Amino acid sequence: MNYPLPDQVSHALALTEQQRVTHPGLLLDRLAGYPDLQFGDGSQEKFVRPHLARVLEASGSQDIGRIDVDADWKSIVKALPNHKLEWTQKTVWRLASHLSGSSVVENGSVCLHPIYGFPYLPGQGLKGLAHAFAVLSGVMDADRARVLGCGPRGLDDGPDPDGTLTGGTEDAGSVIFMESWPTYWVTLELDIVNNHHPEYYREEGKNKPPGDWESPIPVCFLAVPANTTFQFAVAARSAATPQADVALAACWLQSGLEQLGAGAKTAAGYGYFAPPS
């Protein structure tokens, strides 16, 4: 592979097959290997598909330093000092997350843990999903502000007039949203968006009608497989947090995962979860 990096860095990355990088996230976001020195060719066939194939191989490889995902996540949640609620939910169909994230592949990325490399759901995204469900359900502003936060540290008021994010912990919500890990190490899947009428859409329907003579251009992206079980947890921020607030946050998040879906392409059926268990 050839990497568009400074010579010294590229030389350091000239690894043998036995020393190849096996961290999916590192491969996806940093080590974009090209088959030749024509770095400008970012086509699906010559670059994107081979690049994502290496990421897929790494996500299913046994060479990476694996952790016990289930046990390690439970130990983190157990260490939280205050009242908490834990549960699991299973994806109904594939989950696509962070497709437009910062990556060498346009609209083909996926949210991987920065240290371990397995797919996960960040806590701030889950908090936003709970907030969205609460708003759509007509939850009173005072309840949302108490549980989820308000002001510069929360979701409702935004930054100060000068653009700074100030304020103390009183601006934060009463409940903490933990990041969600799968219950086991997940091997990613390759998916495609297949535009059957590229010329029609490129012309915005003005000059060329859609027709069967056009050639589809599949665009690849990575997704989490269907029926993947994720574990979730919400916890009281302090000992003074009412248990009812923790239960409210859990209910909003559970319902949001079921009814709104997480991640991208929810209108196409991606990202929805089964009821909690």
Side-chain angles (χ1 to χ4, degrees), residues 3 17 26 30 33 46 69 81 96 117 125 137-138 151 170 182 191 205 249 259:
Y3 300 96
E17 280 299 308
L26 189 60
R30 295 292 182 265
K46 292 187 177 181
V69 181
S137 300
E170 67 273 8
D191 207 336
Q259 300 181 33

Side-chain angles (χ1 to χ4, degrees), residues 114-186:
I115 298 176
Y116 303 114
F118 53 77
Y120 82 115
L121 297 173
Q124 63 266 35
L126 298 177
K127 183 176 182 179
L129 179 58
H131 179 263
F133 179 82
V135 170
L136 293 174
S137 300
V139 175
M140 295 180 61
D141 292 348
D143 291 333
R144 288 192 285 111
R146 184 186 72 255
V147 176
L148 301 175
C150 61
R153 291 283 298 275
L155 292 159
D156 293 333
D157 297 336
D160 289 342
D162 61 358
T164 58
L165 294 176
T166 59
T169 55
E170 67 273 8
D171 297 316
S174 63
V175 176
I176 297 171
F177 288 75
M178 297 294 295
E179 61 185 33
S180 174
W181 293 10
T183 56
Y184 52 89
W185 198 280
V186 176

Side-chain angles (χ1 to χ4, degrees), residues 3-268:
Y3 300 96
L5 299 167
D7 290 342
Q8 290 182 336
V9 180
S10 296
H11 179 73
L13 292 174
L15 307 174
T16 66
E17 280 299 308
Q18 289 72 31
Q19 296 173 315
R20 66 185 185 276
V21 177
T22 55
H23 190 293
L26 189 60
L27 284 171
L28 179 62
D29 297 330
R30 295 292 182 265
L31 302 182
Y34 287 78
D36 51 43
L37 294 177
Q38 301 300 316
F39 296 133
D41 188 350
S43 65
Q44 289 287 320
E45 289 301 321
K46 292 187 177 181
F47 169 65
V48 176
R49 278 181 177 270
H51 179 56
L52 295 184
R54 289 190 292 274
V55 178
L56 288 174
E57 181 184 5
S59 77
S61 171
Q62 298 300 316
D63 297 336
I64 194 170
R66 296 298 175 87
I67 64 169
D68 188 332
V69 181
D70 182 61
D72 281 42
W73 187 87
K74 283 183 167 59
S75 66
I76 295 172
V77 175
K78 185 177 180 181
L80 295 173
N82 302 311
H83 176 68
K84 71 210 72 166
L85 288 175
E86 303 173 50
W87 71 93
T88 62
Q89 284 182 253
K90 183 180 294 187
T91 56
V92 176
W93 177 232
R94 287 173 171 170
L95 168 67
S97 59
H98 289 206
L99 288 185
S100 59
S102 178
S103 173
V104 297
V105 181
E106 183 179 6
N107 295 326
S109 187
V110 69
C111 187
L112 300 178
H113 196 282
I115 298 176
Y116 303 114
F118 53 77
Y120 82 115
L121 297 173
Q124 63 266 35
L126 298 177
K127 183 176 182 179
L129 179 58
H131 179 263
F133 179 82
V135 170
L136 293 174
S137 300
V139 175
M140 295 180 61
D141 292 348
D143 291 333
R144 288 192 285 111
R146 184 186 72 255
V147 176
L148 301 175
C150 61
R153 291 283 298 275
L155 292 159
D156 293 333
D157 297 336
D160 289 342
D162 61 358
T164 58
L165 294 176
T166 59
T169 55
E170 67 273 8
D171 297 316
S174 63
V175 176
I176 297 171
F177 288 75
M178 297 294 295
E179 61 185 33
S180 174
W181 293 10
T183 56
Y184 52 89
W185 198 280
V186 176
T187 299
L188 298 170
E189 292 182 348
L190 188 67
D191 207 336
I192 62 169
V193 175
N194 202 0
N195 184 357
H196 287 262
H197 306 292
E199 293 296 330
Y200 170 77
Y201 287 106
R202 190 175 294 119
E203 296 289 334
E204 297 182 351
K206 297 177 181 178
N207 301 318
K208 295 187 178 181
D212 294 338
W213 55 84
E214 294 187 68
S215 298
I217 304 177
V219 177
C220 301
F221 65 95
L222 297 171
V224 179
N227 298 315
T228 299
T229 302
F230 280 84
Q231 33 199 354
F232 301 87
V234 292
R237 184 173 296 277
S238 70
T241 298
Q243 293 189 14
D245 283 6
V246 180
L248 270 178
C251 178
W252 295 342
L253 177 54
Q254 291 168 0
S255 299
L257 290 166
E258 285 185 68
Q259 300 181 33
L260 302 179
K265 300 178 70 64
T266 53

